[in-house]
Amino acid sequence: MVNIAVLGYGTVGSGVVEVINTNGKRINQRVGDEVYIKYVLDLRDFPGDPVQEKLVHDFEVIVNDPEIQIVVEVMGGIEPAYTFVKRSLLAGKSVATSNKALVAKHGAELLSIAKEKNINFLFEASVGGGIPIIRALNSSITADEIEEITGILNGTTNYMLTKMFYEGADYDEVLKEAQEKGYAERNPEADVEGYDACRKIAILSSLISGYQVDFEDIYTEGITKITKQDMMYAKAMGMTIKLLASSRREKEHLHAIVAPYLLPEEHPLYSVNGVFNAVFVHGNVLGDAMFYGSGAGKLPTASAVVADVVDEAKHLNKNVMTMWESEKVELFPIEETSKRFFVRISGDAEAMKPHLESKFGAIDVVKVEKLANEFGFVTGVMTEGEYSRNAAEFPGILHMLRIEE
Amino acid sequence: MVNIAVLGYGTVGSGVVEVINTNGKRINQRVGDEVYIKYVLDLRDFPGDPVQEKLVHDFEVIVNDPEIQIVVEVMGGIEPAYTFVKRSLLAGKSVATSNKALVAKHGAELLSIAKEKNINFLFEASVGGGIPIIRALNSSITADEIEEITGILNGTTNYMLTKMFYEGADYDEVLKEAQEKGYAERNPEADVEGYDACRKIAILSSLISGYQVDFEDIYTEGITKITKQDMMYAKAMGMTIKLLASSRREKEHLHAIVAPYLLPEEHPLYSVNGVFNAVFVHGNVLGDAMFYGSGAGKLPTASAVVADVVDEAKHLNKNVMTMWESEKVELFPIEETSKRFFVRISGDAEAMKPHLESKFGAIDVVKVEKLANEFGFVTGVMTEGEYSRNAAEFPGILHMLRIEE
């Protein structure tokens, strides 16, 4: 019997209990032993719920019970999650978590404790919900150098952008609807400003580089400035707008960014719609691959957490996770990264084109019939620094979007 | 040092050598030891190629060398691959293979030998080339009951159908072009008749059910009868046509099929174009997920083979692969499986609708302007048996396509 304790009986925690109850027979068959939930930690009581008999209010009961071999942390937030996870690992218990904030901040340290103790710290559910991207990077795509990883890592904003694209709705409208449907929080900042996607790409960046990438260092721009006019231009160009979180390796350098991008129809991420998430990976021998699925939700997230539990139960005394060092990797300054830019500007295209081309080089003009007194143009490939210097000379610029090739 | 031998220096074999040479440092880091190619088996000589010094012509050298811990079988075909793989496993050497014919036919037996010897028989590259679907089923989606797995598993036919859809080309035209580009063999039967996809879905079906699924038992229909007229109807309905290989579990039953399907725009497989492959998975708690990537090609396939080598090198004395029993699973007869059907029929829609509806129930008529003297209709959900019985009464039926919901 493998005894586990679940810290937190919220959405994901109750999902973990439900998944183990529903698929227990199959799970035990895969582990080759019985996975048994001995404790559930929560400050609350749940009278009438069968979980009540396993409920404890004091973490000491769990950490001091030598029978507990795996701890599932699904409380969220940094504290007390960090203290509980660290103490569990130091006590020789493997930990599975869905907590992206914890992993982004303390992943390197917690992984190194797990390695030292020859146990495991796994966090599949912290990025992309049910999408098995972390295990793919750790155990599947092991013959490659991962050169790029680009994801749609936030379901709330993808739902909103999908609505704006297909229904021509404006930002405020879709935010209100997303809030009514429960897809967006009353305070939607973490989603719409890109902070959630930023923590997730920080974790993926650390994994592919092997070094610590601090989320605070990643240039992050949300979707709050995306308008229905932007979507009209996107459509006119046969593209869509997605909030991408991306990390690219170039020799010793890494550049990471979270921002809304224009995406061409041929890109595998183009048709990832609604609350779905997807992660595009480019390996130097594998080429292009993509992983798609539910980025959030009680059961998909719990499915990923329980898959970690299965892995840990099969490797009780063997560390299987790739480490990343606590040493920080230097991110390439955004000013020096190159791409094409789409720019909306007030005025008349014919009159302004010569001046624009004198600064930006050859441009492609884009017009949307319904939008008078403005036009769009696409630049050639240039650095963000060059773009900014040139753009400063045109006060009529209304909005800029980066283009993903 | 982990010594390996590569059986076969063809496309995939030379890819394996190239991947290990290119990414050796990273691979060794992941294994925690040096992976060293000691032998390459081939009947031919390769004078001038650095591989020549590792070349052996006699399998006995490999199987009798106690230093060889992992054998990579990339020769293809049943014999002598089967004999070599079985003897390697019996000699205590783990095996990684890309050979779908071998795995579909002898997978259960080879897996059971590996389990008995506490070594591994892995075959990631046998399905979906570089797409890590087998490891995902084995190690990632372990908290779920997999209820459905549906894939675009053959790049040649997907390339052809994509061309037919986007360019309105006819079957013979695109086949000729695919042959000229080297995407299709001179004898294209294995691809266009669905035999290749059938072996791959047989492997996936065995994995998700845990029992032997014989590819001979799977209803298989290729793309040779798909015409540009079919594509015109598909477009008129907002759908496309894809060769799907699908396996669905229903309690103790499994139904598996390979056939061209009409696919709606919302389906994640809709936008999988060109030579790319993708596998859609539905788990009872995970929900929908999809894995996308290169289904063939020297380096993507080699990437998957070498990832198996890495896994085996990390688990030299630990069996990690889910078994499937050699006992056969009974497939649900195709006549009893239910779906909607799209039918093209000669004649006048208005005149024929009452008679059609008296047999098929309510139908939706589809017309394509350029196609006179015929029309299409979509039935409600019915079994294949019901459909066939009703269709027998209408000699004017030109073609039938199944609809994937």
Side-chain angles (χ1 to χ4, degrees):
Chain A
M1 186 139 75
V2 180
N3 286 288
I4 74 171
V6 179
L7 312 186
Y9 196 62
T11 306
V12 181
S14 60
V16 167
V17 173
E18 185 178 335
V19 167
I20 290 175
N21 287 339
T22 308
N23 291 342
K25 203 178 139 199
R26 187 64 147 171
I27 289 166
N28 294 342
Q29 191 188 333
R30 282 172 179 144
V31 171
D33 201 345
E34 189 192 346
V35 172
Y36 180 75
I37 302 175
K38 187 170 178 184
Y39 304 117
V40 173
L41 177 78
D42 206 290
L43 292 177
R44 298 163 293 180
D45 278 301
F46 298 91
D49 185 320
V51 83
Q52 182 68 32
E53 61 184 52
K54 303 179 175 215
L55 211 69
V56 293
H57 301 302
D58 183 1
F59 175 68
E60 301 303 325
V61 176
I62 292 166
V63 75
N64 292 321
D65 184 340
E67 282 187 358
I68 293 293
Q69 293 173 287
I70 299 171
V71 170
V72 173
E73 186 279 301
V74 284
M75 300 183 293
I78 299 289
E79 281 297 352
Y82 171 61
T83 303
F84 289 178
V85 168
K86 189 169 172 178
R87 288 191 57 201
S88 298
L89 291 170
L90 288 169
K93 304 172 195 309
S94 286
V95 174
T97 182
S98 60
N99 189 332
K100 62 185 173 290
L102 175 68
V103 178
K105 197 165 171 61
H106 298 291
E109 182 198 5
L110 298 170
L111 280 166
S112 79
I113 298 174
K115 195 185 173 85
E116 210 170 281
K117 293 275 175 183
N118 212 21
I119 52 175
N120 289 288
F121 174 62
L122 302 180
F123 41 88
E124 184 62 73
S126 67
V127 178
I131 305 173
I133 178 63
I134 291 178
R135 199 167 279 100
L137 293 176
N138 190 55
S139 325
S140 287
I141 317 180
T142 51
D144 278 71
E145 291 285 356
I146 306 293
E147 295 176 337
E148 179 192 342
I149 187 155
T150 296
I152 293 175
L153 296 177
N154 181 271
T156 305
T157 46
N158 202 48
Y159 171 85
M160 292 171 63
L161 291 173
T162 303
K163 279 258 167 190
M164 289 176 73
F165 182 75
Y166 283 101
E167 299 173 12
D170 218 333
Y171 177 82
D172 293 331
E173 248 174 89
V174 295
L175 175 59
K176 196 160 159 260
E177 197 192 317
Q179 286 170 322
E180 281 164 8
K181 288 200 173 176
Y183 293 153
E185 312 269 340
R186 203 179 306 170
N187 176 357
E189 199 184 42
D191 294 318
V192 299
E193 297 291 0
Y195 304 155
D196 172 79
C198 173
R199 277 156 184 79
K200 292 171 178 168
I201 196 68
I203 294 172
L204 295 178
S205 302
S206 298
L207 280 173
I208 66 168
S209 69
Y211 294 95
Q212 174 69 20
V213 175
D214 282 347
F215 67 85
E216 297 93 336
D217 295 346
I218 299 175
Y219 176 85
T220 300
E221 187 180 313
I223 66 161
T224 55
K225 287 175 194 140
I226 303 295
T227 61
K228 68 172 147 186
Q229 288 76 17
D230 295 329
M231 283 292 181
M232 290 161 90
Y233 281 102
K235 283 196 177 182
M237 293 185 282
M239 299 208 246
T240 189
I241 300 172
K242 296 287 186 192
L243 182 65
L244 298 184
S246 182
S247 192
R248 281 184 165 82
R249 290 180 67 191
E250 242 173 59
K251 291 178 191 146
E252 298 310 301
H253 284 295
L254 190 83
H255 30 108
I257 181 172
V258 175
Y261 271 80
L262 281 161
L263 206 64
E265 205 176 339
E266 308 77 54
H267 198 287
L269 295 174
Y270 176 92
S271 45
V272 175
N273 286 324
V275 293
F276 280 94
N277 283 17
V279 184
F280 170 85
V281 175
H282 184 84
N284 71 334
V285 291
L286 174 66
D288 293 348
M290 187 182 73
F291 303 79
Y292 166 97
S294 296
K298 175 178 170 171
L299 290 180
T301 306
S303 161
V305 173
V306 176
D308 278 349
V309 170
V310 169
D311 212 356
E312 292 179 340
K314 286 170 81 174
H315 295 95
L316 283 174
N317 298 299
K318 184 176 168 68
N319 180 265
V320 296
M321 188 68 193
T322 303
M323 291 274 298
W324 79 69
E325 308 289 332
S326 54
E327 193 187 322
K328 274 183 64 165
V329 69
E330 197 192 330
L331 292 183
F332 211 49
I334 185 167
E335 291 73 24
E336 294 175 31
T337 65
S338 295
K339 50 193 73 89
R340 293 192 302 146
F341 298 86
F342 166 77
V343 185
R344 276 176 58 206
I345 187 165
S346 307
D348 177 71
E350 281 63 38
M352 293 175 70
K353 198 174 175 191
H355 186 199
L356 286 167
E357 293 203 320
S358 75
K359 291 292 167 189
F360 288 102
I363 58 170
D364 289 321
V365 169
V366 188
K367 287 188 189 170
V368 170
E369 212 176 324
K370 287 183 188 160
L371 299 177
N373 306 320
E374 67 162 278
F375 62 99
F377 66 90
V378 174
T379 71
V381 174
M382 59 181 65
T383 65
E384 294 254 358
E386 281 177 88
Y387 168 77
S388 302
R389 281 190 297 279
N390 293 323
E393 309 210 9
F394 297 93
I397 287 180
L398 300 166
H399 200 190
M400 176 276 279
L401 285 164
R402 296 165 182 89
I403 299 179
E404 176 78 11
E405 308 296 336
Chain B
M1 186 139 76
V2 181
N3 286 288
I4 74 171
V6 179
L7 313 186
Y9 196 62
T11 306
V12 181
S14 60
V16 167
V17 173
E18 185 178 335
V19 167
I20 290 175
N21 286 339
T22 310
N23 291 343
K25 203 178 138 198
R26 187 64 147 170
I27 289 165
N28 295 342
Q29 191 188 334
R30 282 171 179 144
V31 172
D33 201 346
E34 188 191 345
V35 172
Y36 179 76
I37 302 176
K38 187 169 178 184
Y39 304 118
V40 173
L41 178 78
D42 206 289
L43 292 177
R44 299 164 292 179
D45 278 302
F46 298 91
D49 185 320
V51 83
Q52 182 69 31
E53 63 183 52
K54 304 180 175 213
L55 212 69
V56 293
H57 301 303
D58 183 2
F59 175 67
E60 301 304 324
V61 176
I62 292 166
V63 75
N64 292 321
D65 185 340
E67 282 188 0
I68 293 294
Q69 292 173 288
I70 298 171
V71 171
V72 173
E73 187 280 301
V74 284
M75 301 183 293
I78 298 290
E79 282 296 352
Y82 171 60
T83 303
F84 289 177
V85 167
K86 189 169 170 177
R87 287 191 58 202
S88 298
L89 291 169
L90 288 169
K93 302 172 195 310
S94 286
V95 174
T97 183
S98 59
N99 189 331
K100 60 184 174 291
L102 175 69
V103 178
K105 197 166 170 63
H106 298 291
E109 183 198 5
L110 298 170
L111 280 165
S112 79
I113 298 173
K115 195 185 172 85
E116 211 171 280
K117 294 275 175 184
N118 212 22
I119 52 176
N120 289 287
F121 174 61
L122 302 180
F123 42 87
E124 184 62 74
S126 67
V127 179
I131 305 173
I133 178 63
I134 291 178
R135 200 167 278 102
L137 294 175
N138 190 57
S139 325
S140 287
I141 316 180
T142 51
D144 278 71
E145 291 285 356
I146 305 294
E147 295 176 337
E148 179 193 342
I149 186 156
T150 296
I152 294 175
L153 297 177
N154 180 271
T156 304
T157 47
N158 202 48
Y159 171 84
M160 292 172 62
L161 291 172
T162 303
K163 279 259 166 190
M164 290 176 73
F165 182 75
Y166 283 102
E167 298 173 12
D170 218 332
Y171 176 82
D172 294 329
E173 247 174 90
V174 293
L175 174 58
K176 195 160 158 263
E177 196 191 319
Q179 286 171 321
E180 282 163 7
K181 288 202 173 175
Y183 292 155
E185 312 267 340
R186 203 180 306 171
N187 176 356
E189 199 184 43
D191 293 318
V192 299
E193 296 291 1
Y195 304 154
D196 173 79
C198 173
R199 277 154 185 80
K200 292 170 178 169
I201 196 68
I203 294 171
L204 295 178
S205 302
S206 298
L207 280 172
I208 67 168
S209 69
Y211 295 96
Q212 175 68 20
V213 175
D214 282 347
F215 67 85
E216 297 92 336
D217 295 345
I218 298 175
Y219 176 85
T220 300
E221 189 181 311
I223 65 160
T224 56
K225 288 177 192 136
I226 303 295
T227 61
K228 69 173 147 187
Q229 288 77 17
D230 295 330
M231 282 292 181
M232 290 162 90
Y233 281 102
K235 282 195 177 183
M237 293 185 282
M239 299 206 249
T240 189
I241 301 173
K242 296 287 186 191
L243 181 66
L244 298 185
S246 181
S247 192
R248 282 184 165 82
R249 290 180 67 193
E250 242 172 61
K251 289 175 193 150
E252 298 310 302
H253 284 296
L254 190 82
H255 30 109
I257 182 172
V258 175
Y261 271 81
L262 282 159
L263 206 62
E265 206 177 338
E266 308 77 54
H267 197 288
L269 295 174
Y270 176 92
S271 45
V272 176
N273 286 324
V275 294
F276 280 94
N277 282 18
V279 184
F280 170 84
V281 175
H282 183 86
N284 72 332
V285 290
L286 174 65
D288 293 348
M290 188 181 72
F291 303 78
Y292 166 99
S294 296
K298 176 178 170 170
L299 291 180
T301 306
S303 160
V305 174
V306 176
D308 277 350
V309 171
V310 170
D311 212 355
E312 292 179 339
K314 286 171 80 174
H315 294 96
L316 284 175
N317 298 298
K318 184 176 168 70
N319 180 266
V320 297
M321 189 68 193
T322 303
M323 291 274 299
W324 79 70
E325 308 289 332
S326 55
E327 194 186 321
K328 275 183 63 165
V329 69
E330 199 192 331
L331 292 184
F332 212 50
I334 184 168
E335 292 72 26
E336 294 175 33
T337 65
S338 296
K339 51 194 73 87
R340 292 191 303 145
F341 298 85
F342 166 76
V343 185
R344 276 175 57 204
I345 186 165
S346 305
D348 177 74
E350 282 62 39
M352 293 174 71
K353 198 175 175 189
H355 186 199
L356 285 167
E357 292 204 318
S358 75
K359 293 290 168 188
F360 288 103
I363 59 170
D364 288 321
V365 169
V366 189
K367 287 187 188 172
V368 170
E369 212 175 323
K370 287 184 188 160
L371 300 177
N373 307 320
E374 67 161 281
F375 62 98
F377 64 90
V378 174
T379 71
V381 174
M382 59 181 64
T383 65
E384 294 255 359
E386 279 177 273
Y387 169 77
S388 301
R389 281 190 297 280
N390 292 324
E393 309 211 8
F394 297 93
I397 288 180
L398 301 166
H399 201 188
M400 175 275 279
L401 284 165
R402 296 166 181 88
I403 299 178
E404 176 77 12
E405 308 295 337

